Amino acid sequence: MDAFENLLYGFEIALQPEALLFVLIGVVAGTVIGMLPGLGPISALALMIPITYGMDPAIGIILMAGVYYGAIFGGSTSSILLNAPGVAGTVATSFDGYPLAKQGKAGKALAIAAYSSFIGGTVSIVGLMFIAPLLGRVAVSFGPSEYFALMVFGLTAVVSLSEKSLIKGLIAAVFGVMVSLMGMDLQTGTARYTFGNINLLDGIDFLIVALGVFALGEVFVLLKKRSGAAKQNSLGSLKLTKQEVREIAPPIGRSSILGFFTGVLPGAGATIGSFLGYTMEKNIAKDGNTFGKGNIKGVAAPEAANNAASGGSFVPLLTLGVPGSGTTAVLLGALLVMGITPGPLMLEDRPDVFWGVIASMYIGNIFLLILNLPLIPLISKILNVPRAMLLSLIIVFCMIGVYGLSFNPFDLMLVLIFGLIGFAMRMYNFPAAPLILAMILGAIMEENMRRALQISSGDWMIFVDKPISLTLLIMAALSLLIPLVIRVIKFINRKKA
């Protein structure tokens, strides 16, 4: 009952005219930002800190939270229509969303993304309301060894989905880890994989790799196949059949729960949540071999997971004061600027901020659904743009987005290089998912491995002494061995036949 009473108190704050206005402004701004490849919610939130200065803290955080989950909600649009993920959390959506758009089902893919995002966001809000304090304590129990094992399991699970070659999946993952480790080692001061170039000392931003491999890689493929490529000018129906609703309902439910619990873990977040949701559904589904070719479950699962994870990431932020991602780190900075210290005492000291944000998320999710569904026909007009102009626009958006990261022309050359790498990967059937996830997890894995070894004075047994990390490492090994054994059995049966 306390939770409901507190939520009612939150609605008293969130339903004030000023709060409603800023929720609407936040989700609209976030949706637009999410649609634009390269901008991302972190830049927008950083720019909004001066705007919120002097505001009531509850209203200021309601605005910034709206921008955050609005960007995750809207990021699927460019992933589906252009294969250019607007935010990192929607990379997995492009795996099946873009093939659906090429099949003339862009409207259906966008509608599924909107419904899945709404349900995932709602599930996370309910979880945040009821079990935030409990989950905060559980998240604290994860030490460096557990986090390292979790990242290894997440990576091997995606590698195991490489349909044509497990070896190619492993090569892509190893390359991704190497790219993530480029730059100056902050602990030893050693330059790694920089080839003497000072522009690489800060490493390579994830967005450069994602836009290069996905967006520019696709542009190069379409240029190569321009003679035989069909024009993408069909929106298709937005309506879902009863059979399609039955198909996507279980994945949305499972991925929403998985995404929320992933978001609760500091260091995880929407991107990892979306990959885990996609991976889980591909393993569970009877038609898992059609994932990556336009399966509607491949859109529903990551969209539900990334929106649930974005809500879940508020648990460590508000209850522990621990940001789970770069975006929530900016939100933490905004709270500190406003004179609020997130942590276990925040529920007692500033319930208006805590419960006001939760209540505003309910309202924001409804606004997002109402705004996005009617706009799908308008948004999808981009499919009617002539191919030459569309490809040019994709290149321009990518270049503007990448240049806006650090205003360094060297980054433009890097995104072209990764575009060529993405093109080569498509030509030789190398999976992109392991590379992208390894790029995200590589540095986090290294950091947690080092911390664990420092705690154990260099004893590697720390990774198997603890039951949680041991279980996760066993699951990681099984995720690679089981597909290998299945393929060996199939090969033997084929030989016998």
Side-chain angles (χ1 to χ4, degrees):
M1 290 303 294
D2 285 344
F4 284 110
E5 289 174 7
N6 288 325
L7 185 62
L8 287 173
Y9 171 62
F11 274 113
E12 286 180 19
I13 296 162
L15 289 173
Q16 294 173 11
E18 185 185 12
L20 285 173
L21 175 63
F22 281 109
V23 169
L24 182 60
I25 292 171
V27 296
V28 170
T31 302
V32 173
I33 288 162
M35 290 177 186
L36 298 174
L39 187 53
I42 296 179
S43 303
L45 288 175
L47 290 171
M48 284 195 175
I49 290 179
I51 296 172
T52 57
Y53 187 75
M55 276 187 188
D56 179 275
I59 302 297
I61 295 302
I62 282 172
L63 169 65
M64 297 185 77
V67 173
Y68 176 34
Y69 57 81
I72 300 295
F73 198 105
S76 59
T77 303
S78 55
S79 288
I80 291 169
L81 297 182
L82 304 175
N83 201 30
V87 294
T90 60
V91 169
T93 306
S94 66
F95 297 162
D96 282 276
Y98 186 65
L100 280 169
K102 290 202 291 186
Q103 295 165 21
K105 299 176 182 176
K108 188 162 288 189
L110 288 168
I112 290 170
Y115 291 128
S116 304
S117 297
F118 174 75
I119 295 169
T122 304
V123 167
S124 74
I125 296 161
V126 173
L128 183 60
M129 180 177 74
F130 283 107
I131 51 180
L134 173 65
L135 286 177
R137 288 193 292 272
V138 172
V140 175
S141 68
F142 263 61
S145 58
E146 286 85 0
Y147 273 116
F148 173 77
L150 177 65
M151 303 304 164
V152 170
F153 172 59
L155 189 54
T156 56
V158 172
V159 169
S160 69
L161 299 180
S162 305
E163 292 174 6
K164 297 182 179 179
S165 172
L166 199 65
I167 300 298
K168 288 181 178 179
L170 282 169
I171 291 171
V174 170
F175 178 67
V177 171
M178 290 174 67
V179 171
S180 74
L181 299 180
M182 290 180 76
M184 184 74 74
D185 182 348
L186 296 179
Q187 287 195 12
T188 64
T190 305
R192 301 183 296 190
Y193 307 124
T194 60
F195 308 102
N197 192 317
I198 60 170
N199 291 294
L200 293 174
L201 289 176
D202 289 331
I204 297 177
D205 193 277
F206 165 76
L207 196 64
I208 293 173
V209 180
L211 288 178
V213 170
F214 285 98
L216 290 188
E218 184 65 25
V219 167
F220 294 146
V221 170
L222 291 175
L223 287 173
K224 183 176 184 293
K225 298 180 178 179
R226 63 183 181 272
S227 57
K231 189 181 178 183
Q232 300 174 33
N233 57 3
S234 175
L235 168 64
S237 173
L238 272 68
K239 294 180 179 178
L240 301 181
T241 65
K242 290 182 180 178
Q243 176 60 32
E244 287 171 335
V245 172
R246 283 195 292 268
E247 278 185 39
I248 65 172
I252 289 174
R254 286 189 293 262
S255 296
S256 296
I257 295 168
L258 174 66
F260 175 70
F261 282 94
T262 304
V264 166
L265 299 172
T271 307
I272 295 172
S274 65
F275 273 99
L276 290 178
Y278 186 86
T279 303
M280 177 179 70
E281 286 308 319
K282 186 167 182 178
N283 281 326
I284 292 173
K286 293 179 181 178
D287 56 349
N289 60 327
T290 64
F291 274 59
K293 300 172 184 174
N295 191 313
I296 58 174
K297 288 179 281 190
V299 175
E303 278 302 296
N306 64 27
N307 280 270
S310 67
S313 65
F314 279 83
V315 174
L317 174 67
L318 298 178
T319 61
L320 303 174
V322 178
S325 63
T327 311
T328 49
V330 175
L331 284 170
L332 174 62
L335 284 166
L336 294 173
V337 167
M338 294 175 190
I340 296 172
T341 304
L345 297 177
M346 186 176 174
L347 280 164
E348 297 176 10
D349 294 342
R350 293 305 302 259
D352 57 326
V353 176
F354 187 89
W355 293 106
V357 168
I358 292 176
S360 75
M361 287 181 178
Y362 277 104
I363 299 166
N365 268 281
I366 294 169
F367 279 162
L368 283 167
L369 191 64
I370 293 170
L371 286 169
N372 278 268
L373 283 177
L375 288 174
I376 285 175
L378 180 64
I379 294 167
S380 61
K381 291 292 183 185
I382 195 169
L383 294 175
N384 292 323
V385 176
R387 168 152 294 177
M389 186 180 294
L390 182 60
L391 296 183
S392 301
L393 285 172
I394 293 172
I395 294 171
V396 168
F397 274 126
C398 288
M399 293 300 176
I400 291 173
V402 167
Y403 188 70
L405 290 172
S406 60
F407 300 100
N408 185 352
F410 183 77
D411 289 346
L412 301 179
M413 187 175 71
L414 283 178
V415 78
L416 284 172
I417 291 171
F418 280 100
L420 293 171
I421 291 171
F423 173 71
M425 290 177 73
R426 283 170 172 78
M427 291 296 100
Y428 294 98
N429 296 315
F430 277 82
L435 185 153
I436 294 297
L437 190 61
M439 172 72 190
I440 297 165
L441 297 182
I444 304 172
M445 286 169 59
E446 183 198 26
E447 181 184 352
N448 282 290
M449 183 185 74
R450 279 180 161 177
R451 285 179 181 173
L453 292 173
Q454 285 172 350
I455 291 168
S456 67
S457 300
D459 186 0
W460 289 86
M461 292 302 292
I462 190 173
F463 296 108
V464 294
D465 284 342
K466 297 186 177 182
I468 295 177
S469 58
L470 176 61
T471 303
L472 288 168
L473 288 173
I474 291 171
M475 290 168 66
L478 290 175
S479 70
L480 288 178
L481 290 174
I482 290 173
L484 193 62
V485 170
I486 291 171
R487 289 174 195 187
V488 169
I489 292 170
K490 284 182 180 178
F491 178 77
I492 293 171
N493 290 338
R494 243 187 260 119
K495 284 286 186 182
K496 288 180 179 178

